[in-house]
Amino acid sequence: MSEGTITPVVEEYLRAILDLGIAGRPVIGRRLADSLGVAPSTVTATLQRMGSDALGLVSLNERKEIVLSKKGAAYAITAARRHHLSERLLVDFMKFDWARAHVEAERWQHALTEETEKQLWEALGRPTRCPHGNPIPGTGACFSPGTRWLREAREGDEIVVERIAERAEADAKLMQFFQ
């Protein structure tokens, strides 16, 4: 299957499934619908297309959790990498507002080809994290050992905020607060 058959909508679904999985929660239709801001029926129809024999990007396990296939995971990782590189370009070179970079990168990431992605990564100095601290897939970056979610912190805990989850980046007011 060529890259051209993966639409921007499918890329967004793949990235959302990947991000929800990274967040450590079961990826179910309702959670995916909330993450994408669409109706559950839209998610159901799109997942059926994505799971079809023609695409084979996702499946449902016995608990009705959405699982990326090997092919789906590869596309999701590529989409996430292109998104993070777009954020780096916008913030580092174009001096784009840090709090708004995520939303703008949503548009840019779909236009990057494999060649442009490689050249951009080099031009940016081979970054390993997006401006919001998330590891860029395929660069060797990973979460720090002992990383835990802010929701797990208790009053009096000393913490360092290392990254902002992708889901939180979509909330402009929250991002302005963090900035």
Side-chain angles (χ1 to χ4, degrees):
M1 176 168 69
S2 71
E3 222 172 4
T5 60
I6 301 296
T7 66
V9 169
V10 169
E11 277 187 3
E12 289 305 315
Y13 272 73
L14 292 170
R15 265 196 50 236
I17 294 165
L18 179 69
D19 293 338
L20 288 168
I22 289 170
R25 294 190 164 156
V27 183
I28 57 174
R30 181 66 181 171
R31 202 167 273 140
L32 183 58
D34 290 346
S35 176
L36 293 167
V38 298
S41 59
T42 302
V43 167
T44 301
T46 304
L47 288 175
Q48 286 173 345
R49 286 194 310 276
M50 291 172 65
S52 71
D53 290 339
L55 291 179
L57 301 172
V58 297
S59 62
L60 294 178
N61 68 17
E62 62 281 349
R63 293 186 307 260
K64 303 291 185 199
E65 296 168 346
I66 304 160
V67 179
L68 292 170
S69 68
K70 205 177 238 186
K71 186 189 328 182
Y75 279 114
I77 289 166
T78 296
R81 186 172 50 249
R82 290 176 181 177
H83 175 79
H84 292 321
L85 289 173
S86 295
E87 288 177 324
R88 286 255 64 118
L89 174 67
L90 289 162
V91 171
D92 296 352
F93 279 93
M94 300 178 72
K95 307 303 180 203
F96 210 84
D97 182 60
W98 177 88
R100 291 183 46 236
H102 173 80
V103 174
E104 189 67 18
E106 292 286 333
R107 296 178 188 101
W108 285 49
Q109 72 187 44
H110 305 296
L112 297 181
T113 63
E114 185 177 345
E115 181 180 0
T116 305
E117 174 194 330
K118 287 177 183 175
Q119 298 245 346
L120 181 57
W121 186 63
E122 290 291 336
L124 290 168
R126 297 179 171 209
T128 58
R129 296 194 176 273
C130 83
H132 311 106
N134 291 296
I136 299 175
T139 64
C142 57
F143 298 108
S144 298
T147 296
R148 59 188 180 141
W149 296 101
L150 188 57
R151 65 179 174 254
E152 297 169 0
R154 300 291 174 242
E155 186 175 337
D157 287 353
E158 288 190 29
I159 61 169
V160 173
V161 177
E162 180 178 278
R163 70 181 195 89
I164 298 169
E166 284 295 307
R167 185 172 183 191
E169 288 181 39
D171 184 334
K173 288 184 181 192
L174 181 62
M175 291 301 289
Q176 288 171 341
F177 170 79
F178 285 146
Q179 187 174 16

